[in-house]
Amino acid sequence: MPHDPMIHPVADRVAGLNARYRNHAAQAVLERALTDPHVGRIALVSSFGAESVVLLHMLSVIDRSAPVLFIDTQMLFPETLSYQAEVATALGLTDVRTIRARPEAVAARDPEGLLHQADTDACCDLRKTEPLERALADFDAWITGRKRFQGATRATLDFFENEGDRRIKVNPLAHWAPQDVQDYMINNRLPRHPLVARGYPSIGCAPCTSRVAPGEDPRAGRWRDAEKEECGIHFINGKVVRGPLPKEEEQPMNMLVTDQGFGKDDWTNGFVSAEQIGAPADAPMLAVDLPSDTDPASLAGLLQGIALIRVEFPSFADGRGFTLARRLRLMGFNGRLRARGHVLADQYAMARRAGFDEVEISPELTARQPWEQWQARAGWQSHDYQSRLRGTA
Ligand code: SF4
């Protein structure tokens, strides 16, 4: 009898998938979700809203023919419809399926198109949940763009979720921060939804989406003045599963990541102690902050007087810091070299190979990327040129 992974209960498969892929980056999670036999038949569900283009682009890079389900509630902004067509064409997506409520159901339950004024849950059921349920009947799993930062109801999202023991929900961007989304769109020059520039950072149906003022929560414009936070498609058995709020950091302090684990940041505003670096008491103790676009030639002749150099990473996609580190090492700098800012666990091995000794990250990034995710990269030494040179590999 052929081995069929789908005979295993959804809960078991979800647990296995989360264990297997928990240290993977978003792209890798998406790629594995599309091919892992324990996931099964899968579709991406997209609203073609403000941030949807990120997942759509990732999908197009991996498999343009993968099914994409677009829920047209027939209450969308016209700009969303034109953006949907533009993005699908630009990315070459070949299987975008538009799903809608049955005309007879709309005629019976919302003939005037005003149900949203009386009962938003009933309207979302009619126009989103039920059509999606029908469309997903052919699939074992679906991909969403939900992220932990999007509120308390999403604070504990995993990459893989058990949806009522029936299907698997895959959230490749669960651990992304708002800046990650922006960086991805900028770096890949992706087209933006035209309403974003007009004050709509989160876009749903026209009657239920309003502009957001500067400083407001990006999702504040969704069902404004109503208690509703989620449309029914993310309910399980009619209920949102609420997770605990993220713990507040008592002292927001950056953390250092080294091969040994997380440690407290010991940056001392321009100077370090001899003890910190194991240097003689009369050694130079200068600590220097460098932007990633620094020309290392400007430091020629000065490096022996510096104990610690900290290189700023303004975005995880900015590779200039790695190049700077390599060049500083080639120039003979043998003090501590630290990468600071937007560095992801996935990049730890690359940072170490480039010559960095450590990475300094914010409390927010520490919470999103716990030590286990960094630890998985701790095998960087096995291929490391620097270590072979130093004889420590
Ligand atoms: S978001 Fe508003 S208009 Fe759209 S389906 Fe839900 S209640 Fe209806």
Side-chain angles (χ1 to χ4, degrees):
M1 197 173 113
H3 173 66
D4 178 8
M6 304 307 286
I7 63 171
H8 298 292
V10 174
D12 292 353
R13 285 187 281 127
V14 163
L17 289 162
N18 275 322
R20 206 171 314 146
Y21 300 128
R22 73 173 175 204
N23 295 314
H24 284 55
Q27 287 95 330
V29 169
L30 179 60
E31 189 164 3
R32 302 302 157 85
L34 289 165
T35 53
D36 193 305
H38 286 91
V39 176
R41 300 163 302 167
I42 188 166
L44 170 63
V45 175
S46 181
S47 65
F48 287 78
E51 297 177 345
S52 304
V53 72
V54 169
L55 266 185
L56 290 163
H57 178 261
M58 282 184 191
L59 186 76
S60 73
V61 171
I62 300 165
D63 181 2
R64 288 180 179 184
S65 66
V68 175
L69 307 182
F70 168 54
I71 309 171
D72 177 7
T73 61
Q74 298 172 293
M75 291 284 180
L76 298 173
F77 291 95
E79 288 88 344
T80 298
L81 299 177
S82 51
Y83 180 66
Q84 185 271 318
E86 177 195 343
V87 168
T89 303
L91 299 181
L93 299 167
T94 60
D95 189 7
V96 179
R97 308 176 191 180
T98 300
I99 56 177
R100 299 190 178 98
R102 286 201 176 106
E104 57 273 24
V106 175
R109 288 150 58 186
D110 191 13
E112 294 171 351
L114 297 176
L115 182 58
H116 62 89
Q117 292 180 2
D119 187 342
T120 52
D121 287 345
C123 184
C124 279
D125 279 349
L126 169 68
R127 295 176 179 277
K128 293 182 178 175
T129 313
E130 291 173 12
L132 184 64
E133 275 292 337
R134 270 200 313 280
L136 287 177
D138 296 333
F139 296 96
D140 305 303
W142 55 298
I143 302 157
T144 88
R146 292 179 307 147
K147 306 158 199 81
R148 288 187 170 194
F149 75 77
Q150 286 172 323
T153 57
R154 301 180 178 185
T156 56
L157 267 189
D158 277 327
F159 285 138
F160 297 88
E161 281 180 276
N162 176 355
E163 189 181 40
D165 290 328
R166 292 176 304 146
R167 270 187 304 262
I168 295 176
K169 206 150 41 165
V170 186
N171 311 300
L173 307 182
H175 300 280
W176 276 32
Q179 193 58 45
D180 299 331
V181 177
Q182 298 307 317
D183 288 347
Y184 189 95
M185 288 196 274
I186 292 167
N187 292 325
N188 290 287
R189 296 186 179 84
L190 299 178
R192 304 298 307 270
H193 193 299
L195 291 181
V196 172
R198 284 152 52 188
Y200 295 85
S202 177
I203 301 158
C205 295
C208 300
T209 308
S210 56
R211 275 201 180 84
V212 168
E216 268 192 305
D217 183 293
R219 286 179 65 83
R222 303 291 293 278
W223 301 287
R224 192 182 282 282
D225 303 326
E227 284 194 6
K228 192 171 168 71
E229 287 180 51
E230 302 260 4
C231 53
I233 59 175
H234 296 304
F235 280 50
I236 293 179
N237 298 332
K239 289 185 187 153
V240 170
V241 179
R242 290 179 187 274
L245 285 168
K247 281 187 191 147
E248 293 219 341
E249 296 288 331
E250 284 173 12
Q251 289 178 317
M253 177 185 252
N254 284 353
M255 297 296 286
L256 278 190
V257 187
T258 69
D259 293 351
Q260 283 70 48
F262 282 162
K264 285 189 177 165
D265 172 25
D266 56 1
W267 181 259
T268 49
N269 208 17
F271 292 90
V272 290
S273 70
E275 207 179 9
Q276 276 175 268
I277 55 169
D282 58 351
M285 294 298 143
L286 199 55
V288 176
D289 258 329
L290 294 181
S292 59
D293 61 356
T294 302
D295 178 0
S298 64
L299 296 168
L302 301 174
L303 291 176
Q304 298 313 315
I306 301 174
L308 169 61
I309 291 179
R310 190 165 73 163
V311 178
E312 193 72 34
F313 278 70
S315 106
F316 72 82
D318 187 335
R320 292 174 298 179
F322 298 122
T323 306
L324 177 57
R326 279 191 201 96
R327 292 187 62 189
L328 289 169
R329 290 302 191 199
L330 286 171
M331 287 168 68
F333 178 66
N334 60 10
R336 271 170 68 187
L337 192 51
R338 178 185 301 187
R340 174 182 190 248
H342 220 73
V343 181
L344 303 181
D346 283 1
Q347 296 171 306
Y348 183 67
M350 193 193 312
R352 294 289 280 121
R353 284 197 291 271
F356 285 109
D357 295 295
E358 59 210 26
V359 174
E360 179 186 330
I361 56 174
S362 66
E364 188 264 332
L365 192 55
T366 312
R368 282 197 296 122
Q369 302 208 315
W371 167 240
E372 295 74 46
Q373 294 196 19
W374 298 86
Q375 191 177 28
R377 313 294 179 226
W380 64 273
Q381 293 99 331
S382 51
H383 308 291
D384 179 55
Y385 177 68
Q386 296 280 345
S387 296
R388 288 203 299 275
L389 275 184
R390 293 175 187 169
T392 55

